[in-house]
Amino acid sequence: SQQGEEDPQALSIQEGENATMNCSYKTSINNLQWYRQNSGRGLVHLILIRSNEREKHSGRLRVTLDTSKKSSSLLITASRAADTASYFCATDASYGQNFVFGPGTRLSVLP
Amino acid sequence: ETGVTQTPRHLVMGMTNKKSLKCEQHLGHNAMYWYKQSAKKPLELMFVYSLEERVENNSVPSRFSPECPNSSHLFLHLHTLQPEDSALYLCASSQDLDGYEQYFGPGTRLTVT
């Protein structure tokens, strides 16, 4: 399986701190995406990073991709209580398999 | 609001019932997906449709039957489900397959009694 695996499974931080979540995968990919999910709701797309990119930014989000290590990280800076959610990475394999989601990281930002 | 709607939002059904989940996207996308999300398990891709043709069926039991009458609508017909089928069922769409972000609906919370 080329399933992404997020690390840690759960993360609890204080408001204003930075949160870093990692994703590892097993096979070559075309791109990797990060999604966010509030409890019991649908997923919301955050960032897509292609295999030839190393870093992307979107507002307070920064995503890195290291294809040599088959890993990605999502950094949320200056976290807010509203960032509390589960965060998933999804990988799109080079051989055309549709996205495979990891189990997610549950982030809790305490006010 | 992502442009993908799902109905109903909540459904309770007995094991002998027949019900259907509906998904509609207003984004002009060509690909649509059904996912199952159970507690403490990764999101599982069930079915993928591209231009109304099923392109992937990830070993889903036949008690789940998808239907895609056009590129804007996707159904999941349910028949003789088991309690372990209780989960959040998410629909998503994307512009095309391979490398496009997916837009998710709010999900249908299904409970099988």
Side-chain angles (χ1 to χ4, degrees):
Chain A
S1 167
Q2 59 129 80
Q3 182 180 21
E5 295 279 341
E6 291 91 347
D7 167 57
Q9 291 186 353
L11 179 62
S12 185
I13 60 173
Q14 294 294 132
E15 206 165 24
E17 294 180 339
N18 296 341
T20 299
M21 290 159 272
N22 302 297
C23 171
S24 60
Y25 56 92
K26 297 178 182 177
T27 62
S28 296
I29 60 171
N30 287 326
N31 61 69
L32 184 145
Q33 299 188 19
W34 284 92
Y35 288 79
R36 163 202 168 114
Q37 183 182 32
N38 287 77
S39 182
R41 306 293 299 276
L43 280 71
V44 175
H45 179 263
L46 297 176
I47 281 186
L48 181 153
I49 186 165
R50 301 197 183 280
S51 60
N52 60 353
E53 297 176 309
R54 292 297 167 259
E55 188 171 313
K56 285 190 84 168
H57 297 255
S58 176
R60 293 183 296 112
L61 306 180
R62 172 177 167 246
V63 168
T64 62
L65 179 65
D66 187 335
T67 53
S68 66
K69 295 181 179 178
K70 293 187 169 58
S71 67
S72 173
S73 67
L74 170 66
L75 169 67
I76 304 175
T77 60
S79 63
R80 306 166 182 167
D83 294 328
T84 294
S86 291
Y87 292 83
F88 298 88
C89 69
T91 51
D92 181 14
S94 299
Y95 49 86
Q97 182 180 350
N98 277 289
F99 279 151
V100 178
F101 284 84
T105 292
R106 175 71 189 166
L107 174 66
S108 297
V109 181
L110 306 175
Chain B
E1 183 63 44
T2 62
V4 180
T5 58
Q6 290 185 243
T7 54
R9 294 293 307 276
H10 300 272
L11 178 62
V12 179
M13 59 185 290
M15 289 190 284
T16 58
N17 291 160
K18 287 184 179 181
K19 296 286 184 183
S20 295
L21 309 185
K22 179 183 176 182
C23 176
E24 184 174 359
Q25 56 99 358
H26 312 275
L27 302 168
H29 288 169
N30 293 323
M32 296 188 76
Y33 312 79
W34 278 117
Y35 288 90
K36 175 184 178 182
Q37 187 176 36
S38 306
K40 300 180 182 179
K41 291 179 71 176
L43 204 63
E44 300 172 64
L45 179 64
M46 300 175 72
F47 300 104
V48 181
Y49 277 82
S50 176
L51 297 171
E52 301 140 51
E53 297 281 333
R54 189 191 305 182
V55 296
E56 189 154 338
N57 172 0
N58 282 350
S59 302
V60 179
S62 59
R63 56 185 185 270
F64 295 91
S65 175
E67 178 190 1
C68 188
N70 55 63
S71 60
S72 299
H73 294 85
L74 186 65
F75 295 89
L76 188 63
H77 304 298
L78 314 173
H79 177 51
T80 58
L81 295 192
Q82 304 298 312
E84 59 265 29
D85 297 323
S86 298
L88 181 67
Y89 288 84
L90 292 163
C91 172
S93 71
S94 62
Q95 183 60 54
D96 281 297
L97 297 176
D98 297 340
Y100 290 88
E101 64 186 81
Q102 295 185 18
Y103 292 76
F104 281 79
T108 295
R109 174 66 64 186
L110 173 67
T111 302
V112 181
T113 61

